Amino acid sequence: MSTIPPQDMPLTNAPASTSSNPIFQATQLPSSQPPQKSMTKAERRELQDRQRAAKQQQGTSIGGGGGSASGQKQAGGQRHKDLLSSSSKPPPKSSAPKNNRPRSESSALRPAADTGTGDDLSSSRKGLRIFSHFGLSELPTKQVKIAEGDLVHPAVARLALMFGEFKICGANARCIATLTAFKTVIQDYTTPPNTTLSRHLMSYLSPQITHLVVARPMSVTMGNAIRQLKLEISGSDIDLPEQDAKDALCQKIDNYIRDRIIIADQVIEDLAVKKIRDGDVILTYARSSIVEKILLHAHTLGKKFSVIIIDSRPLLEGKQLLRSLSSLPSPSPHSFQPGIQCTYALLPALPSLIQDVSTVLVGAHSLHANGSVYSRAGTAMVAMMAREHGVPVMVCCETYKFSESVVLDGFGKNELAPNKLSLPSPRSNLYPNLEVLNPLYDATPSSCVTAVCTEVGLIPPTSISSIPLALGKTTL
């Protein structure tokens, strides 16, 4: 390893040996000099003074021996030129390993897509990391992705396309459509030899369920219904003929739909209609199938009330509810106003309309053990605004939508609607990198809910976890 000369020394005319160098001799300690650790403070200071004097003598000798100021100035100028010339040359390549020094702040913040193609840049701009864990419904052409060797029934493939295109919306509608498709799958199923229906049918249904989940994330209602179906399949009698066993499973599916959805909705209608009086102004958000049934049932009973429908993008489901309520026939021959008097407004108009509301009726996607209500995005805002104005909020929901999980907000788990469902804007071409993100659900805290109307009665939101006990079982 070569010794780098100090900057004060010229880069040329270096002595051939260190023995003839007076500087080296002046700075070299005598052999009788004790080590610095055993030296006193005064001795170390004296040694430093001698070394400093040797360096000054070195500078005067380089300047020309006379020690004049002009000689020192010329030597300094020459050293400056040598440094400038050496800095302009490229540094030599050394065989030493590269220094693993971290990149500068500017290079660390530079996006990686700068060195890529335009497609990489556009793909890196799509989506935000905060929403990357949300389930995003893809186009129907991208949904048909199944494992090799797995067979997907045509009824399930058709249902997956309808889910992806949002032609079937709502927790009840999706659950009924899924169970109906599984009835067709079970009837077309044939048990392979050397096995039983109770064992092989569950493995046959697994790719069907996976295909539906690829099209759209599974709802709580679908999960509870599929869990109950698997329980019935595992408990089927192996001594029954195959067709009788399949008929028994289809009958149990029909009983589940009848008991947990249809009859449950009828009981909820009877309980909720009693809370509607003449002259009330009912506010609802988006479209809930059970809320629509309650309003239609109250209209058939001859009650006089009006409805305010609050809606928001991207689905704009309130338009379908408005069309259904306003096209009703008159309940009595003496009335000249057909249908229900309705007011349609978007979510930003809620503060100006909430002051005239008597009751808020909303549906739910699922109920959770901590009392929170998981529903269409915007329901939490409606419930909080109603609470601030002292308006009671009643959530209408079936008990089969109960989940033992705990939901605190809408960011832990959610679903994104495709951008094609949003209405096109004429100014969208001005912002080519702008991406529209539409979370479908939000979580309404239990403090903003007055009561939950179920088929087992009116339940306070703090007692939602007692729903399984009310049904006579520990779990659904």
Side-chain angles (χ1 to χ4, degrees), residues 171-188:
N172 291 343
R174 291 177 62 188
C175 182
I176 294 175
T178 301
L179 293 179
T180 304
F182 284 166
K183 285 176 57 180
T184 306
V185 173
I186 292 174
Q187 288 294 343
D188 296 340

Side-chain angles (χ1 to χ4, degrees), residues 281 283 308 310 343-346 349-357:
V281 178
L283 186 141
I308 298 177
I310 302 297
T343 301
Y344 180 84
L346 296 180
L350 177 63
S352 60
L353 298 175
I354 194 66
Q355 301 176 0
D356 302 329
V357 175

Side-chain angles (χ1 to χ4, degrees), residues 307-322:
V307 178
I308 298 177
I309 303 173
I310 302 297
D311 204 1
S312 66
R313 296 173 68 179
L315 298 181
L316 295 174
E317 298 172 296
K319 290 185 177 181
Q320 302 179 8
L321 179 61
L322 175 65

Side-chain angles (χ1 to χ4, degrees), residues 125-183:
R125 290 174 179 174
K126 291 183 179 179
L128 296 177
R129 291 184 179 180
I130 191 174
F131 298 114
S132 60
H133 63 287
F134 286 1
L136 177 60
S137 301
E138 297 290 344
L139 296 177
T141 55
K142 298 182 181 180
Q143 292 173 4
V144 187
K145 295 180 181 179
I146 58 176
E148 185 177 358
D150 293 337
L151 298 178
V152 175
H153 196 275
V156 176
R158 181 169 55 253
L159 181 62
L161 293 176
M162 299 180 72
F163 280 173
E165 295 175 353
F166 281 78
K167 292 184 178 179
I168 299 180
C169 292
N172 291 343
R174 291 177 62 188
C175 182
I176 294 175
T178 301
L179 293 179
T180 304
F182 284 166
K183 285 176 57 180

Side-chain angles (χ1 to χ4, degrees), residues 244-382:
D244 294 342
K246 293 192 293 185
D247 293 341
L249 289 176
C250 293
Q251 184 62 38
K252 290 179 180 179
I253 291 176
D254 292 336
N255 295 339
Y256 186 89
I257 297 175
R258 181 197 61 194
D259 298 339
R260 306 303 301 274
I261 302 178
I262 298 177
I263 296 180
D265 288 350
Q266 295 176 359
V267 176
I268 294 174
E269 290 177 28
D270 297 336
L271 292 175
V273 163
K274 298 178 181 179
K275 304 299 179 181
I276 299 178
R277 299 181 296 270
D278 291 339
D280 283 351
V281 178
I282 308 298
L283 186 141
T284 185
Y285 178 73
R287 185 193 183 191
S288 173
S289 60
I290 182 60
V291 173
E292 183 177 357
K293 293 178 181 178
I294 292 171
L295 297 177
L296 295 178
H297 185 49
H299 179 72
T300 56
L301 295 178
K303 295 190 176 183
K304 299 178 181 180
F305 61 94
S306 60
V307 178
I308 298 177
I309 303 173
I310 302 297
D311 204 1
S312 66
R313 296 173 68 179
L315 298 181
L316 295 174
E317 298 172 296
K319 290 185 177 181
Q320 302 179 8
L321 179 61
L322 175 65
R323 190 179 301 110
S324 175
L325 297 181
S326 59
S327 61
L328 290 175
S330 177
S332 62
H334 303 286
S335 178
F336 298 97
Q337 184 177 2
I340 302 175
Q341 183 180 358
C342 299
T343 301
Y344 180 84
L346 296 180
L347 192 58
L350 177 63
S352 60
L353 298 175
I354 194 66
Q355 301 176 0
D356 302 329
V357 175
S358 304
T359 307
V360 175
L361 292 180
V362 292
H365 178 79
S366 60
L367 300 175
H368 294 268
N370 62 332
S372 61
V373 178
Y374 199 63
S375 187
R376 188 71 71 210
T379 306
M381 184 181 298
V382 173

Side-chain angles (χ1 to χ4, degrees), residues 78-243:
Q78 183 65 27
R79 289 196 301 270
H80 183 67
K81 291 180 181 179
D82 294 340
L83 291 175
L84 290 178
S85 61
S86 63
S87 62
S88 61
K89 297 179 181 180
K93 297 182 179 179
S94 86
S95 59
K98 295 182 179 180
N99 186 15
N100 296 329
R101 182 179 299 174
R103 296 183 300 172
S104 61
E105 184 178 358
S106 59
S107 62
L109 295 178
R110 189 180 301 118
D114 292 344
T115 58
T117 60
D119 296 339
D120 297 336
L121 180 61
S122 61
S123 62
S124 64
R125 290 174 179 174
K126 291 183 179 179
L128 296 177
R129 291 184 179 180
I130 191 174
F131 298 114
S132 60
H133 63 287
F134 286 1
L136 177 60
S137 301
E138 297 290 344
L139 296 177
T141 55
K142 298 182 181 180
Q143 292 173 4
V144 187
K145 295 180 181 179
I146 58 176
E148 185 177 358
D150 293 337
L151 298 178
V152 175
H153 196 275
V156 176
R158 181 169 55 253
L159 181 62
L161 293 176
M162 299 180 72
F163 280 173
E165 295 175 353
F166 281 78
K167 292 184 178 179
I168 299 180
C169 292
N172 291 343
R174 291 177 62 188
C175 182
I176 294 175
T178 301
L179 293 179
T180 304
F182 284 166
K183 285 176 57 180
T184 306
V185 173
I186 292 174
Q187 288 294 343
D188 296 340
Y189 165 79
T190 302
T191 305
N194 301 326
T195 185
T196 59
L197 181 141
S198 60
R199 294 182 178 180
H200 186 265
L201 181 57
M202 295 181 64
S203 61
Y204 180 76
L205 289 178
S206 296
Q208 321 294 331
I209 300 171
T210 303
H211 190 66
L212 292 178
V213 174
V214 170
R216 223 186 131 181
M218 182 181 297
S219 62
V220 174
T221 57
M222 292 172 57
N224 290 338
I226 292 174
R227 194 177 300 110
Q228 184 67 28
L229 177 61
K230 289 183 177 181
L231 183 62
E232 297 293 345
I233 292 174
S234 62
S236 59
D237 190 0
I238 60 176
D239 295 332
L240 284 177
E242 180 177 345
Q243 187 60 41

